[in-house]
Structure formats: structure tokens, C-alpha cells
Amino acid sequence: MPSEYDTRDNLYPGHMACAGCGEVLGLKLVLQAVERKAISVVVPSCLGIMLGPFPHATFKIPVFHGAFETAASSAAGISNALLAQGDDETAVIALAGDGGTTDIGFQALSGAADRNENIIYCCFDNEAYMNTGIQSSSSTPQLAWTATTPLGKPLKKKNMVEIMGAHEVPYCASACACFPDDLRRKVTEARKIRGMKYIHVLSPCPTGWRYPESLTANIGRLAVETKYYPLYEIRNGQEYTITHQPKNLPVGDYLLAQGRFKHLVQRDLDTIQEQVDKNWDELTKRESRNRSE
Amino acid sequence: MRMFLTGNHAAAYGARLARPQVIAAYPITPQSPIYEKLSEWDGQGVLGARMMRVESEHSAMAACISASLTGVRTFTATASQGLALMHELLHFASGMRVPIVLVNVNRSMAGPWSFWSEQTDSLSQRDTGWLQFYVADNQEALDTVIQAFKISETVLLPTIVVLEAFYISHFMEPVEVPDQRLIDEFLPPFEPPFKLDTDNPASFCQVVSQSQYAEFRIQRHMAMEDALEVAEVVDREYRERFGRGYGLLECYRLEDADTVLVTAATIGSTARVTIDALREEGRKVGMVRIRLFRPFPKAKLIEALNHAKKIAVIDRNLSPGQEGVFCEELKSALYSRINGIPVFGFVLGLGGTNVSPLHIRKVFDIAEKMNDAPLKPIVNIEDEDALGI
């Protein structure tokens, strides 16, 4: 079914992402939803490659490719400069990877959230430093193989949506490129809200996650349908809304489809399933709490 | 209007008069009074800029760069550790050709922790592509901040205006604060040739090829070379309009001077007193105070020092394993044109220790007594035996 967004492409053809890239799919959807009256900031990540090399351009909207740890601070600088010129209409959107968000850019992001800067911050989470060749980040899930966690990552993934929710920003959401209407609706929603908006976009990566390029859409959907990666929104740090009811498939359906988890044994799957169920219970409790209030 | 101001507040007045539209700052001793003064004006609704109270100097510089890319005038201030934290982005700023003006209050770098004057923080930013001015008093601080915006916006390179910790930042002096109307005539609004603009979308700071990168680097260097002349023209225009100009160098009693002191910032203003006293005793001494450090005014220095028989340099900074940075730069400038003038490098005043008129007299004594300049910097001016005089 054609969507109202489909005629609004903000990317020229010819990006330099890998075949089957979930991130460039997410980028296309986000830029469709943010519309033409927007200025973007990109920081080093796979996105920096997708921009195209000088003098070619992939983005139809203005973009500044800033320093790694400055997605939020650079976007905030633009937002303030526009407000100083009396422009509160142009959207300012920061586009960063999980390393640029959860690790090196975390301080600037927390600062921008604290100041409630009028920006939309999108973290495209492919769960490792993929642009530099699959090194572990604090967003890499527990037990996943990367080039720097050859035995599987011992530590848990940082939960950015909850962390940003705890900053009590006006709007914060999880999304996935494989749920395009949900993702675009969230960006459209964010565009209407004044202040800090954070959208975490799970971006399946055939290169780093070790699955065939043709399976990207399936992998992203399995992440959500297994409850491993729930889709939801948090408004003002309080109001939780689950935006897609998962089919409750076993986590093994998602994990074992990827080479980075191929070393997992049944005991690992059981432990992860238990954790995923617990997290889901907690999330639904939070959602029902604001319904009852 | 004549006011009694600290150097920090003089710099803040300079910034306000320049009408920046975005200011991003973070507190650090001894810069904080600039941030506080600007915030006070913001609270009174008279600042005219959006104040970003960011969570680090790194974010302050990032915000200034991206704000400037939309075509607004931007200002920030920092010191020491804060400037070092900005270091990565200083390269970005000059590479993106954004004319940010930054006031750095010179402070020693940790560790160990110290809060007093030393120039190593700003001199460590030598190769970042920023213009650097070193000022000698509070009036010069205010005037240089205003001049810096005009120079920067002409050559499209950012500028650091350096005030020394406490000697300038916290000392109070009478300062002439120019009329806003006259500053507006001197400094028209900033109009960049390219900007982030939804009506004319473009990609900024993309990945470039080796040869493209080399070309951008050379362009940055050419702009820096142009800045030498632009800085002089702007200073001259400022003098015509406001009655105060400083030149790229301050040349003090250089006529017939055999021994010339070369230094920067407040050691230069102290040296005037010593030179006056020594002149009364009949000694042929003079001074060159380097006000503009980047671009380095080589031709002017060669011209000023052409007739000197001996040169003594006092550096309130040290490049460990080499010598004071001003001394090193001066030698490099002289080497191409003037042979045989011995240059005596003194490293004094580190960590904000006082360099008094007596110290400066001693520097002249040593330079006059010694025949050959040592390869190493002279760090102890009291031990004459060690100096072999």
C-alpha cells in the first residue's frame, strides 16, 4: 500500500551503504518523515559514508558532517542559531550511530537532553562500530561476537531508550527500519514537539551481524516479534506507549538467524529468554501504570 | 564611556558590543567571570545573543562551529584545560572556515593542578589554523576582541584572543568602552559566502580525496597569510575611528637599541618600565612585544630587529625538550634573513610566577654580558656562575 511519505524522498540514489543495509533503509524513512524543511548533522558512522564523498551529495537537505562526539552539540548549535534568527520552523535532526551515541557522544547527548534543546536525535543502532569494522560498543548485545569480543561480549547492552526517558525529555521512542510506518510516524510525531526528541532506530546489519543481505527485513521484524527489541514511546519520562504488540516468538528465532550468535548454546538462549520476558513484563507494567493514573 | 573593569569584563564588553547571535560557554577558572557577566546581561535581556550553557568546552566549540555554519556570529571563552578539550574541534573550526572569536584566559596546564598564568595552553594550539592575539592590558583586550571579529569574518578563519590569568583577567583598570553605534558602523553583520540553508541545500565537511584535502589545507594557509595584511588594515581603521591601535608588534624605544627584548603579553607592559629606567642610565635597550602570534609577523619582526646587536626573549611558556615557543618562532623567522645576531632565550614566569622589572633588568644584564647564546633556554637568572658571567 503506497504511503503518503513515498513521494518525499530526501536521499538521492547512489548511497554507498552495503547491500542489504538496514541503516540506510532507516535513514531513508527518517528523512522522508522529517521533510524538506530540515537541517541535519551526521557524525562519523556508516552514515558518514552514505553522505557520499565530496563533491557528490546523497542528502537533499543541508547536512554537516561534524566530529564524532558532537551529534547532539552540533545539532543544538544549529537549533540555537536558527532560533536566534527567528526560525522555529526548520527541524534540526542529529543522525548518529550507536558508538557516536551510547559511547563517545553520550555526554553531549545528555547535556542537550538536560537543556531540552529543540532537536530530533536519531541513533541508528547497528549494535557495534560497523564503519570501522565491527568492534564492540556499549550498544552491542550480551554474548554477541564482534572483532573485539571474539568470545562473545560479556557485558549487557546499554538501554538508551530508558536512559533518555530518565532525562524526562518530551519525546523518546524505540523504532526499527523494518517497521517503516511506525518509524515514520514517530519522526512525524517528534517533528511536532518542541524540545528534545530521541528516537532509537534498530538497524540490522548483514555485514556485522553475519546474515545474508536478503534477510534484513526479516531480522528486524524478528527482533521486535520476539520482544527482544520492543517498539514503544515515552513521553516526558512518564507516559509509556507500546506501539506494536509482538507475536511473542522465541528469542532463538531471532538470535540463531545471525552468525554473530551462532556460538550460543541452549542455556544461553534460556537465560536471554528469561531476561527478555522480564524486561517485557516491566515495560507492560510501566505502560499500564500510566493508563491507570 | 570610561569604566573601571577587570580584563575579563573588558573582554565581555568587547564580545557584547560585537553583537554575537550565539554564545556557548562553560565555566573554568579564571575565565568564569566572562561567562557570568554575559549571563548577567542575558538575564537583564540586554545581551542580544542566545546563551548556550553547555556541559563542556567541547560542546561549546561544537555548537559555535555549527551555529556559525548557519551564518550567525558566535563567541566563546575558555582557559587551559578547556582549550585543550576543544583542541580537536579547533582544527574543525578553521577547516570549516568559521570566524568564531574565542577568548582564552592563559592558565597553566595540569598536572599538577595550577590556576595561574602561563601561555602553554594557547601556544599548544599553534597549528590548529586559528589566529592568535596576545594582549598586554584590559583596554587592548576589549579592542582586540572587536577587531578579531572583523579580521576573522574577512579572511574566514577563527581567532583566539589571549588574556593572561589574573594579571589581566582579574586586575582592574580604567577602560574606554566604545559607543555601540560606532561599533555597529565598524563591524557590519556577518554574511558568509556559504551556509546551512534549506533553500539552498549543501553538504558540509564531507570526506575528500587526498589531493582535495591538500588543496583545502593550502587554502587555509593562504587565508592565514592574507590575515597579516587584513589585521593591519583593521587595526588602522580601528585607530582612525576610536583613537586606539596596536599594530601587529609593539615596538618600544627601538631607536638605536643594541639589546632588544622580545616578549608577549603583560611581560611586555612590565618591560616598558624597566626599559625607561635603563634608558635613563644610558643603556641602549628596547623591546618588541609580539601581539599577533598566528599568522606570525615575520617580515615585521625582521624589520624591527634588523639593527639589534643582541636579542633576549622572555617566554612565559615552555616546550619541554626545546625552549620557549616565542623564542623558537623568532629564531626561525630571523634565520632566513639575519645572520649572527645572538638570541638569548629565557623561560620565566612559568605557573604564573612573577616577572618583575628587576627580573627584566637581570635579563638585559645577562644578555649584555654573555657573548654566545646558549643552546638551552635560560631558566635560572640568579645563578651567574652557571651562566659563566
Side-chain angles (χ1 to χ4, degrees), chain A residues 37-38 51-54 56-57 60 62-65 67 69-70 73-74 76-78 80-81 83-85 90 107-108 111 115 117, chain B residues 21-22 50 52-56 58-59 62-63 65-67 69-70 72 88-89 92 196-198 201-208 212:
Chain A
K37 191 97 180 127
L51 275 183
F54 179 83
H56 304 287
K60 290 185 185 175
V63 57
F64 169 47
H65 187 181
E69 62 279 49
T70 68
S73 45
S74 295
I78 293 169
N80 277 276
L83 291 171
Q85 296 170 87
T90 302
Q107 172 183 316
R115 299 189 301 276
E117 299 285 4
Chain B
Q21 289 144 291
V22 171
R50 282 189 70 86
M52 295 180 67
R53 294 168 182 83
V54 288
E55 83 300 327
S56 71
H58 197 277
S59 286
I65 292 169
S66 62
L69 284 174
T70 73
V72 299
E88 175 202 21
L89 296 176
F92 258 94
L196 290 166
D197 177 5
T198 52
S203 303
F204 286 70
C205 205
Q206 288 170 285
V207 176
V208 295
Q212 287 166 343

Short mmCIF file of all heavy atoms in Angstrom, two decimals, chain A residues 37-38 51-54 56-57 60 62-65 67 69-70 73-74 76-78 80-81 83-85 90 107-108 111 115 117, chain B residues 21-22 50 52-56 58-59 62-63 65-67 69-70 72 88-89 92 196-198 201-208 212:
data_model
loop_
_atom_site.label_atom_id
_atom_site.label_comp_id
_atom_site.label_asym_id
_atom_site.label_seq_id
_atom_site.Cartn_x
_atom_site.Cartn_y
_atom_site.Cartn_z
N LYS A 37 12.11 20.82 4.97
CA LYS A 37 12.50 21.98 5.78
C LYS A 37 13.23 21.49 7.03
O LYS A 37 12.71 21.49 8.14
CB LYS A 37 11.24 22.77 6.15
CG LYS A 37 11.52 24.13 6.76
CD LYS A 37 11.44 25.24 5.72
CE LYS A 37 11.73 26.59 6.38
NZ LYS A 37 12.79 27.34 5.72
N ALA A 38 14.43 21.01 6.80
CA ALA A 38 15.21 20.43 7.90
C ALA A 38 16.69 20.58 7.61
O ALA A 38 17.11 20.60 6.45
CB ALA A 38 14.86 18.96 8.08
N LEU A 51 26.72 9.61 3.06
CA LEU A 51 26.64 11.00 2.59
C LEU A 51 27.24 11.18 1.21
O LEU A 51 26.89 12.10 0.49
CB LEU A 51 27.50 11.89 3.50
CG LEU A 51 26.93 12.43 4.77
CD1 LEU A 51 27.97 13.32 5.41
CD2 LEU A 51 25.69 13.23 4.46
N GLY A 52 28.18 10.32 0.88
CA GLY A 52 28.87 10.44 -0.40
C GLY A 52 30.11 11.31 -0.25
O GLY A 52 30.14 12.22 0.56
N PRO A 53 31.14 11.03 -1.06
CA PRO A 53 32.36 11.83 -0.99
C PRO A 53 32.21 13.14 -1.77
O PRO A 53 31.51 13.19 -2.76
CB PRO A 53 33.40 10.92 -1.67
CG PRO A 53 32.61 10.10 -2.63
CD PRO A 53 31.23 9.94 -2.05
N PHE A 54 32.91 14.18 -1.29
CA PHE A 54 32.93 15.49 -1.96
C PHE A 54 33.41 15.32 -3.41
O PHE A 54 34.35 14.57 -3.63
CB PHE A 54 33.89 16.40 -1.19
CG PHE A 54 34.06 17.77 -1.77
CD1 PHE A 54 33.14 18.76 -1.49
CD2 PHE A 54 35.13 18.05 -2.60
CE1 PHE A 54 33.30 20.03 -2.02
CE2 PHE A 54 35.29 19.32 -3.14
CZ PHE A 54 34.37 20.30 -2.85
N HIS A 56 30.20 14.97 -4.43
CA HIS A 56 28.89 14.32 -4.61
C HIS A 56 28.05 14.50 -3.35
O HIS A 56 28.58 14.74 -2.28
CB HIS A 56 29.08 12.84 -4.92
CG HIS A 56 29.95 12.60 -6.11
ND1 HIS A 56 29.53 12.84 -7.39
CD2 HIS A 56 31.23 12.21 -6.20
CE1 HIS A 56 30.51 12.58 -8.23
NE2 HIS A 56 31.57 12.19 -7.54
N ALA A 57 26.74 14.36 -3.50
CA ALA A 57 25.87 14.51 -2.34
C ALA A 57 24.76 13.47 -2.40
O ALA A 57 24.22 13.20 -3.47
CB ALA A 57 25.28 15.91 -2.29
N LYS A 60 19.34 15.41 0.26
CA LYS A 60 18.69 16.55 -0.40
C LYS A 60 18.52 17.72 0.57
O LYS A 60 18.18 18.82 0.15
CB LYS A 60 17.33 16.14 -0.96
CG LYS A 60 17.44 15.18 -2.14
CD LYS A 60 16.07 14.90 -2.74
CE LYS A 60 16.20 13.85 -3.84
NZ LYS A 60 14.88 13.47 -4.37
N PRO A 62 20.24 20.14 3.77
CA PRO A 62 21.60 20.54 4.20
C PRO A 62 22.10 19.58 5.28
O PRO A 62 21.33 19.15 6.16
CB PRO A 62 21.40 21.94 4.78
CG PRO A 62 20.09 22.42 4.27
CD PRO A 62 19.26 21.21 4.01
N VAL A 63 23.38 19.27 5.22
CA VAL A 63 23.97 18.37 6.21
C VAL A 63 25.37 18.83 6.56
O VAL A 63 26.11 19.29 5.70
CB VAL A 63 23.96 16.90 5.71
CG1 VAL A 63 24.70 16.73 4.39
CG2 VAL A 63 24.54 15.95 6.76
N PHE A 64 25.70 18.72 7.84
CA PHE A 64 27.06 19.00 8.32
C PHE A 64 27.61 17.71 8.93
O PHE A 64 27.00 17.13 9.82
CB PHE A 64 27.03 20.12 9.36
CG PHE A 64 28.34 20.30 10.09
CD1 PHE A 64 29.55 20.35 9.39
CD2 PHE A 64 28.37 20.44 11.48
CE1 PHE A 64 30.76 20.51 10.06
CE2 PHE A 64 29.58 20.61 12.15
CZ PHE A 64 30.78 20.63 11.44
N HIS A 65 28.74 17.27 8.42
CA HIS A 65 29.38 16.05 8.93
C HIS A 65 30.40 16.48 9.99
O HIS A 65 31.52 16.86 9.67
CB HIS A 65 30.06 15.35 7.74
CG HIS A 65 30.62 14.01 8.06
ND1 HIS A 65 31.29 13.24 7.14
CD2 HIS A 65 30.62 13.28 9.20
CE1 HIS A 65 31.67 12.10 7.70
NE2 HIS A 65 31.29 12.11 8.94
N ALA A 67 32.26 16.37 14.13
CA ALA A 67 33.16 15.47 14.87
C ALA A 67 32.35 14.36 15.55
O ALA A 67 31.18 14.53 15.89
CB ALA A 67 33.96 16.26 15.90
N GLU A 69 31.93 12.93 18.43
CA GLU A 69 31.19 13.04 19.70
C GLU A 69 30.28 14.26 19.76
O GLU A 69 29.85 14.65 20.83
CB GLU A 69 32.18 13.04 20.86
CG GLU A 69 33.17 14.20 20.88
CD GLU A 69 34.37 14.03 19.95
OE1 GLU A 69 34.15 13.71 18.79
OE2 GLU A 69 35.50 14.26 20.39
N THR A 70 29.97 14.88 18.60
CA THR A 70 29.25 16.15 18.64
C THR A 70 27.89 16.14 17.95
O THR A 70 27.39 17.20 17.60
CB THR A 70 30.09 17.27 17.98
OG1 THR A 70 30.18 16.99 16.57
CG2 THR A 70 31.48 17.38 18.57
N SER A 73 25.62 18.19 20.26
CA SER A 73 26.06 19.58 20.48
C SER A 73 26.05 20.35 19.16
O SER A 73 25.70 21.54 19.15
CB SER A 73 27.43 19.62 21.14
OG SER A 73 28.32 18.71 20.53
N SER A 74 26.40 19.70 18.06
CA SER A 74 26.36 20.39 16.77
C SER A 74 24.91 20.70 16.38
O SER A 74 24.61 21.80 15.91
CB SER A 74 27.00 19.54 15.67
OG SER A 74 28.37 19.36 15.91
N ALA A 76 22.46 21.12 18.41
CA ALA A 76 21.99 22.17 19.32
C ALA A 76 22.50 23.54 18.88
O ALA A 76 21.79 24.53 18.98
CB ALA A 76 22.44 21.86 20.75
N GLY A 77 23.73 23.58 18.39
CA GLY A 77 24.29 24.85 17.90
C GLY A 77 23.45 25.38 16.74
O GLY A 77 23.13 26.58 16.69
N ILE A 78 23.07 24.49 15.84
CA ILE A 78 22.25 24.91 14.69
C ILE A 78 20.87 25.36 15.16
O ILE A 78 20.37 26.41 14.75
CB ILE A 78 22.13 23.75 13.67
CG1 ILE A 78 23.50 23.47 13.05
CG2 ILE A 78 21.10 24.09 12.58
CD1 ILE A 78 23.56 22.19 12.24
N ASN A 80 19.96 26.57 18.04
CA ASN A 80 20.03 27.88 18.69
C ASN A 80 20.27 28.99 17.68
O ASN A 80 19.72 30.09 17.82
CB ASN A 80 21.12 27.89 19.77
CG ASN A 80 20.60 27.31 21.06
OD1 ASN A 80 19.99 28.00 21.86
ND2 ASN A 80 20.80 26.01 21.26
N ALA A 81 21.10 28.71 16.68
CA ALA A 81 21.37 29.73 15.66
C ALA A 81 20.11 30.05 14.87
O ALA A 81 19.85 31.21 14.53
CB ALA A 81 22.49 29.26 14.73
N LEU A 83 17.00 29.71 16.00
CA LEU A 83 16.12 30.45 16.90
C LEU A 83 16.59 31.90 17.03
O LEU A 83 15.77 32.82 17.08
CB LEU A 83 16.06 29.77 18.27
CG LEU A 83 15.34 28.40 18.28
CD1 LEU A 83 15.53 27.70 19.62
CD2 LEU A 83 13.85 28.55 17.98
N ALA A 84 17.91 32.08 17.04
CA ALA A 84 18.46 33.44 17.11
C ALA A 84 18.07 34.25 15.87
O ALA A 84 18.00 35.47 15.92
CB ALA A 84 19.98 33.40 17.25
N GLN A 85 17.81 33.54 14.76
CA GLN A 85 17.39 34.22 13.53
C GLN A 85 15.87 34.21 13.38
O GLN A 85 15.34 34.52 12.31
CB GLN A 85 18.05 33.54 12.31
CG GLN A 85 19.58 33.65 12.32
CD GLN A 85 20.24 32.77 11.25
OE1 GLN A 85 20.39 33.17 10.12
NE2 GLN A 85 20.61 31.55 11.62
N THR A 90 12.18 25.30 10.98
CA THR A 90 13.09 24.31 10.42
C THR A 90 13.45 23.27 11.47
O THR A 90 13.87 23.62 12.58
CB THR A 90 14.37 25.01 9.91
OG1 THR A 90 13.99 25.98 8.94
CG2 THR A 90 15.34 24.02 9.30
N GLN A 107 27.98 12.16 26.47
CA GLN A 107 27.99 13.36 27.32
C GLN A 107 27.25 14.51 26.63
O GLN A 107 26.42 15.19 27.24
CB GLN A 107 29.43 13.75 27.62
CG GLN A 107 29.54 15.08 28.33
CD GLN A 107 30.99 15.49 28.54
OE1 GLN A 107 31.81 14.67 28.93
NE2 GLN A 107 31.29 16.73 28.29
N ALA A 108 27.58 14.72 25.35
CA ALA A 108 26.95 15.82 24.62
C ALA A 108 25.44 15.58 24.49
O ALA A 108 24.64 16.51 24.59
CB ALA A 108 27.59 15.98 23.24
N GLY A 111 23.81 16.28 27.81
CA GLY A 111 23.77 17.74 28.00
C GLY A 111 22.64 18.37 27.20
O GLY A 111 21.90 19.22 27.70
N ARG A 115 19.30 20.29 28.65
CA ARG A 115 18.92 21.66 28.28
C ARG A 115 17.64 21.69 27.45
O ARG A 115 17.18 22.76 27.06
CB ARG A 115 20.06 22.31 27.47
CG ARG A 115 21.37 22.44 28.21
CD ARG A 115 22.36 23.29 27.45
NE ARG A 115 22.69 22.78 26.12
CZ ARG A 115 23.60 21.85 25.86
NH1 ARG A 115 24.30 21.31 26.84
NH2 ARG A 115 23.84 21.46 24.63
N GLU A 117 17.14 20.89 24.36
CA GLU A 117 17.39 21.54 23.07
C GLU A 117 16.33 21.11 22.07
O GLU A 117 15.87 19.97 22.08
CB GLU A 117 18.77 21.14 22.53
CG GLU A 117 19.94 21.54 23.41
CD GLU A 117 20.29 23.02 23.35
OE1 GLU A 117 19.57 23.78 22.67
OE2 GLU A 117 21.27 23.41 24.00
N GLN B 21 25.31 36.36 17.87
CA GLN B 21 23.93 35.86 17.99
C GLN B 21 23.86 34.57 18.80
O GLN B 21 22.83 34.25 19.37
CB GLN B 21 23.34 35.65 16.59
CG GLN B 21 23.06 36.96 15.89
CD GLN B 21 23.33 36.86 14.41
OE1 GLN B 21 24.48 36.74 13.97
NE2 GLN B 21 22.29 36.90 13.61
N VAL B 22 24.96 33.82 18.82
CA VAL B 22 25.02 32.62 19.66
C VAL B 22 26.31 32.66 20.48
O VAL B 22 27.39 32.89 19.92
CB VAL B 22 24.96 31.32 18.83
CG1 VAL B 22 25.24 30.11 19.72
CG2 VAL B 22 23.59 31.17 18.16
N ARG B 50 21.74 34.33 21.94
CA ARG B 50 21.26 33.14 22.67
C ARG B 50 22.44 32.55 23.41
O ARG B 50 23.47 32.25 22.83
CB ARG B 50 20.68 32.11 21.70
CG ARG B 50 19.28 32.46 21.24
CD ARG B 50 18.65 31.33 20.47
NE ARG B 50 18.32 30.20 21.32
CZ ARG B 50 17.18 30.07 22.01
NH1 ARG B 50 16.26 31.02 21.94
NH2 ARG B 50 16.94 28.99 22.74
N MET B 52 24.12 29.57 25.27
CA MET B 52 24.06 28.12 25.47
C MET B 52 24.97 27.76 26.64
O MET B 52 26.18 27.96 26.57
CB MET B 52 24.50 27.39 24.20
CG MET B 52 23.59 27.62 23.02
SD MET B 52 24.17 26.74 21.54
CE MET B 52 23.94 25.02 22.04
N ARG B 53 24.34 27.30 27.72
CA ARG B 53 25.12 26.91 28.90
C ARG B 53 25.40 25.41 28.78
O ARG B 53 24.68 24.60 29.34
CB ARG B 53 24.36 27.27 30.17
CG ARG B 53 24.21 28.77 30.32
CD ARG B 53 23.22 29.17 31.39
NE ARG B 53 23.09 30.62 31.46
CZ ARG B 53 22.31 31.35 30.66
NH1 ARG B 53 21.57 30.76 29.75
NH2 ARG B 53 22.28 32.66 30.79
N VAL B 54 26.41 25.08 28.03
CA VAL B 54 26.65 23.69 27.64
C VAL B 54 27.37 22.91 28.75
O VAL B 54 27.79 23.49 29.75
CB VAL B 54 27.44 23.62 26.32
CG1 VAL B 54 26.58 24.04 25.16
CG2 VAL B 54 28.69 24.47 26.40
N GLU B 55 27.52 21.59 28.51
CA GLU B 55 28.05 20.73 29.57
C GLU B 55 29.56 20.51 29.45
O GLU B 55 30.12 19.77 30.24
CB GLU B 55 27.27 19.41 29.59
CG GLU B 55 27.71 18.35 28.59
CD GLU B 55 27.63 18.76 27.14
OE1 GLU B 55 26.72 19.53 26.79
OE2 GLU B 55 28.49 18.32 26.36
N SER B 56 30.21 21.17 28.49
CA SER B 56 31.67 21.06 28.38
C SER B 56 32.16 22.07 27.36
O SER B 56 31.38 22.56 26.54
CB SER B 56 32.08 19.66 27.91
OG SER B 56 31.72 19.50 26.54
N HIS B 58 34.05 21.26 25.01
CA HIS B 58 33.99 20.56 23.74
C HIS B 58 32.66 20.85 23.04
O HIS B 58 32.61 21.17 21.86
CB HIS B 58 34.17 19.05 23.96
CG HIS B 58 34.52 18.30 22.73
ND1 HIS B 58 33.57 17.89 21.83
CD2 HIS B 58 35.71 17.91 22.23
CE1 HIS B 58 34.17 17.27 20.83
NE2 HIS B 58 35.47 17.26 21.04
N SER B 59 31.58 20.77 23.82
CA SER B 59 30.26 21.07 23.24
C SER B 59 30.13 22.55 22.91
O SER B 59 29.44 22.92 21.95
CB SER B 59 29.15 20.63 24.19
OG SER B 59 29.03 19.21 24.17
N ALA B 62 31.77 22.87 19.59
CA ALA B 62 30.95 22.21 18.56
C ALA B 62 29.74 23.07 18.21
O ALA B 62 29.40 23.24 17.03
CB ALA B 62 30.48 20.84 19.06
N ALA B 63 29.10 23.64 19.22
CA ALA B 63 27.91 24.47 18.99
C ALA B 63 28.29 25.75 18.24
O ALA B 63 27.55 26.19 17.36
CB ALA B 63 27.23 24.80 20.32
N ILE B 65 30.74 26.12 16.13
CA ILE B 65 31.05 25.77 14.74
C ILE B 65 29.76 25.62 13.93
O ILE B 65 29.59 26.24 12.88
CB ILE B 65 31.89 24.47 14.67
CG1 ILE B 65 33.28 24.70 15.26
CG2 ILE B 65 31.99 23.97 13.23
CD1 ILE B 65 34.08 23.41 15.48
N SER B 66 28.84 24.81 14.44
CA SER B 66 27.64 24.53 13.65
C SER B 66 26.73 25.76 13.58
O SER B 66 26.12 26.02 12.54
CB SER B 66 26.88 23.32 14.20
OG SER B 66 26.45 23.57 15.52
N ALA B 67 26.68 26.53 14.68
CA ALA B 67 25.88 27.77 14.65
C ALA B 67 26.45 28.71 13.60
O ALA B 67 25.72 29.31 12.80
CB ALA B 67 25.87 28.43 16.03
N LEU B 69 28.02 27.98 10.99
CA LEU B 69 27.74 27.48 9.64
C LEU B 69 26.36 27.90 9.14
O LEU B 69 26.09 27.84 7.94
CB LEU B 69 27.84 25.95 9.61
CG LEU B 69 29.26 25.37 9.62
CD1 LEU B 69 29.21 23.85 9.73
CD2 LEU B 69 30.03 25.77 8.36
N THR B 70 25.48 28.33 10.04
CA THR B 70 24.18 28.84 9.58
C THR B 70 24.25 30.34 9.28
O THR B 70 23.26 30.92 8.87
CB THR B 70 23.06 28.62 10.63
OG1 THR B 70 23.25 29.55 11.70
CG2 THR B 70 23.05 27.20 11.17
N VAL B 72 25.50 32.82 11.59
CA VAL B 72 25.42 33.76 12.71
C VAL B 72 26.82 34.01 13.29
O VAL B 72 27.73 33.20 13.12
CB VAL B 72 24.49 33.28 13.85
CG1 VAL B 72 23.07 33.11 13.34
CG2 VAL B 72 24.99 32.01 14.52
N GLU B 88 40.55 19.23 19.35
CA GLU B 88 40.12 18.54 18.14
C GLU B 88 39.24 19.46 17.28
O GLU B 88 39.37 19.51 16.05
CB GLU B 88 39.31 17.30 18.55
CG GLU B 88 38.70 16.55 17.39
CD GLU B 88 37.52 15.69 17.79
OE1 GLU B 88 36.92 15.94 18.85
OE2 GLU B 88 37.20 14.77 17.04
N LEU B 89 38.35 20.18 17.96
CA LEU B 89 37.38 20.99 17.23
C LEU B 89 37.97 22.30 16.72
O LEU B 89 37.41 22.93 15.83
CB LEU B 89 36.16 21.25 18.11
CG LEU B 89 35.39 19.98 18.47
CD1 LEU B 89 34.27 20.30 19.43
CD2 LEU B 89 34.85 19.30 17.23
N PHE B 92 38.68 21.60 13.31
CA PHE B 92 37.43 21.61 12.54
C PHE B 92 37.01 23.04 12.20
O PHE B 92 36.60 23.33 11.08
CB PHE B 92 36.29 20.99 13.39
CG PHE B 92 35.96 19.58 13.02
CD1 PHE B 92 36.55 18.53 13.69
CD2 PHE B 92 35.05 19.29 12.02
CE1 PHE B 92 36.24 17.22 13.38
CE2 PHE B 92 34.73 17.98 11.69
CZ PHE B 92 35.33 16.95 12.36
N LEU B 196 24.47 26.71 5.94
CA LEU B 196 23.44 25.68 6.02
C LEU B 196 22.10 26.36 5.81
O LEU B 196 21.69 27.19 6.62
CB LEU B 196 23.48 25.00 7.40
CG LEU B 196 24.68 24.10 7.70
CD1 LEU B 196 24.75 23.79 9.19
CD2 LEU B 196 24.61 22.80 6.89
N ASP B 197 21.44 26.02 4.70
CA ASP B 197 20.27 26.78 4.32
C ASP B 197 19.32 25.84 3.58
O ASP B 197 19.69 25.23 2.56
CB ASP B 197 20.73 27.93 3.40
CG ASP B 197 19.59 28.75 2.85
OD1 ASP B 197 18.43 28.51 3.24
OD2 ASP B 197 19.86 29.64 2.02
N THR B 198 18.09 25.72 4.06
CA THR B 198 17.16 24.76 3.44
C THR B 198 16.75 25.20 2.04
O THR B 198 16.31 24.36 1.24
CB THR B 198 15.90 24.57 4.31
OG1 THR B 198 15.34 25.85 4.59
CG2 THR B 198 16.22 23.88 5.62
N PRO B 201 20.25 23.78 -0.31
CA PRO B 201 20.90 22.73 0.49
C PRO B 201 22.28 22.34 -0.03
O PRO B 201 22.51 22.33 -1.24
CB PRO B 201 19.93 21.55 0.36
CG PRO B 201 18.97 21.89 -0.71
CD PRO B 201 19.04 23.34 -0.98
N ALA B 202 23.18 22.07 0.89
CA ALA B 202 24.54 21.64 0.52
C ALA B 202 25.07 20.75 1.64
O ALA B 202 24.59 20.80 2.77
CB ALA B 202 25.44 22.86 0.34
N SER B 203 26.04 19.93 1.29
CA SER B 203 26.69 19.06 2.28
C SER B 203 28.01 19.69 2.71
O SER B 203 28.82 20.05 1.86
CB SER B 203 26.96 17.68 1.67
OG SER B 203 25.75 17.12 1.20
N PHE B 204 28.20 19.82 4.02
CA PHE B 204 29.40 20.46 4.58
C PHE B 204 30.29 19.42 5.25
O PHE B 204 29.81 18.59 6.01
CB PHE B 204 29.02 21.52 5.62
CG PHE B 204 28.44 22.77 5.02
CD1 PHE B 204 27.19 22.77 4.44
CD2 PHE B 204 29.14 23.97 5.05
CE1 PHE B 204 26.64 23.91 3.88
CE2 PHE B 204 28.61 25.12 4.51
CZ PHE B 204 27.35 25.10 3.92
N CYS B 205 31.59 19.54 4.97
CA CYS B 205 32.60 18.74 5.68
C CYS B 205 32.52 17.25 5.32
O CYS B 205 32.64 16.39 6.17
CB CYS B 205 32.48 18.93 7.19
SG CYS B 205 33.99 18.61 8.09
N GLN B 206 32.35 17.01 4.03
CA GLN B 206 32.31 15.62 3.57
C GLN B 206 33.71 15.02 3.52
O GLN B 206 34.71 15.71 3.68
CB GLN B 206 31.71 15.58 2.16
CG GLN B 206 30.23 15.84 2.12
CD GLN B 206 29.79 16.01 0.70
OE1 GLN B 206 30.04 17.03 0.08
NE2 GLN B 206 29.14 14.99 0.16
N VAL B 207 33.75 13.73 3.22
CA VAL B 207 35.03 13.06 3.01
C VAL B 207 35.59 13.54 1.66
O VAL B 207 34.84 13.63 0.68
CB VAL B 207 34.83 11.53 3.00
CG1 VAL B 207 36.14 10.82 2.67
CG2 VAL B 207 34.29 11.06 4.35
N VAL B 208 36.88 13.86 1.65
CA VAL B 208 37.52 14.34 0.41
C VAL B 208 38.69 13.43 0.04
O VAL B 208 39.16 12.65 0.86
CB VAL B 208 38.03 15.80 0.57
CG1 VAL B 208 36.88 16.76 0.76
CG2 VAL B 208 39.03 15.92 1.72
N GLN B 212 42.24 16.70 -2.87
CA GLN B 212 41.29 17.74 -2.43
C GLN B 212 41.66 18.23 -1.04
O GLN B 212 41.65 19.43 -0.76
CB GLN B 212 39.86 17.17 -2.42
CG GLN B 212 39.26 16.97 -3.81
CD GLN B 212 38.01 16.10 -3.76
OE1 GLN B 212 37.74 15.41 -2.78
NE2 GLN B 212 37.24 16.14 -4.83
#
